[in-house]
Amino acid sequence: ITEEERKDAEVFYLNWIVKNTERSQRADKHPRWTALVQLHGEPEEGAPSIDTGRLQSRLMTVEVYRLFEAPQNPVHRPEEVFQQTLQVLPNMPVKTLRLKLLKTFKAKPNTEMRVFMKLKRDSEDAGVWGEIDLSLTRQSDLVWWGVEHGSHLGVVLP
């Protein structure tokens, strides 16, 4: 679970407590109340809750770049051209991402492509591209590959 997911869950829990528990009973009925309020602040009474049931609220944005050659080593930085921003679900299979990228680049379905993700170190751009293996027989999703909101994907097409 990422730090952002943990924070969202804790804030959601605080809002749920505010909605469903009387003020005088919050600390008694919910042992983590005091610690979470100190960490995130007390939510306002009647604050609107986030509708996590809708897909729209779970979408993340990734930036897609066209790479004119595959990265060879950490020092080598291929030329990149910004193509488009995509909205994807974290649990989207890599196979579906491939199809979405083919559509973005107006390529035929049987086009061979390689997909790379720009790696980060301590939330900073490390300048290194890591390859996402599209040939895995096992179905893996974007979270499994470490793709998160704001990630940069590079695509190499023939």
Side-chain angles (χ1 to χ4, degrees), residues 32-55:
R32 298 258 309 134
W33 170 258
T34 306
L36 291 176
V37 166
Q38 288 175 351
L39 186 61
H40 303 293
E42 185 170 349
E44 296 177 21
E45 296 286 335
S49 62
I50 298 169
D51 184 6
T52 57
R54 297 184 59 206
L55 289 178

Side-chain angles (χ1 to χ4, degrees), residues 6-148:
R6 176 171 295 283
K7 180 185 177 206
D8 288 346
E10 289 172 347
V11 170
F12 178 81
Y13 179 58
L14 286 173
N15 284 316
W16 184 88
I17 293 171
V18 166
K19 261 188 183 175
N20 297 296
T21 310
E22 292 182 34
R23 180 178 286 280
S24 60
Q25 298 176 342
R26 290 178 184 161
D28 294 333
K29 286 190 171 184
H30 303 280
R32 298 258 309 134
W33 170 258
T34 306
L36 291 176
V37 166
Q38 288 175 351
L39 186 61
H40 303 293
E42 185 170 349
E44 296 177 21
E45 296 286 335
S49 62
I50 298 169
D51 184 6
T52 57
R54 297 184 59 206
L55 289 178
Q56 182 72 26
S57 66
R58 294 187 299 190
L59 285 173
M60 58 185 186
T61 302
V62 296
E63 293 184 9
V64 179
Y65 294 83
R66 170 78 191 263
L67 302 180
F68 293 99
E69 59 182 338
Q72 303 299 321
N73 57 51
V75 179
H76 179 256
R77 293 190 178 185
E79 181 183 347
E80 55 187 68
V81 175
F82 177 72
Q83 182 71 22
Q84 186 173 341
T85 300
L86 294 179
Q87 290 200 326
V88 295
L89 288 168
N91 62 344
M92 175 185 279
V94 172
K95 189 178 194 179
T96 306
L97 173 67
R98 179 185 180 281
L99 294 173
K100 194 164 185 141
L101 291 171
L102 286 170
K103 186 175 180 179
T104 299
F105 289 99
K106 296 178 176 74
K108 294 180 181 174
N110 60 351
T111 303
E112 289 290 323
M113 76 164 32
R114 293 175 68 186
V115 178
F116 296 84
M117 182 175 72
K118 193 175 274 189
L119 304 178
K120 295 180 181 180
R121 183 176 306 142
D122 299 325
S123 300
E124 296 290 325
D125 180 6
V128 178
W129 292 92
E131 186 165 7
I132 296 176
D133 189 356
L134 300 175
S135 66
L136 284 178
T137 54
R138 163 179 111 60
Q139 193 70 298
S140 56
D141 60 21
L142 299 182
V143 170
W144 190 85
W145 282 102
V147 177
E148 55 191 25

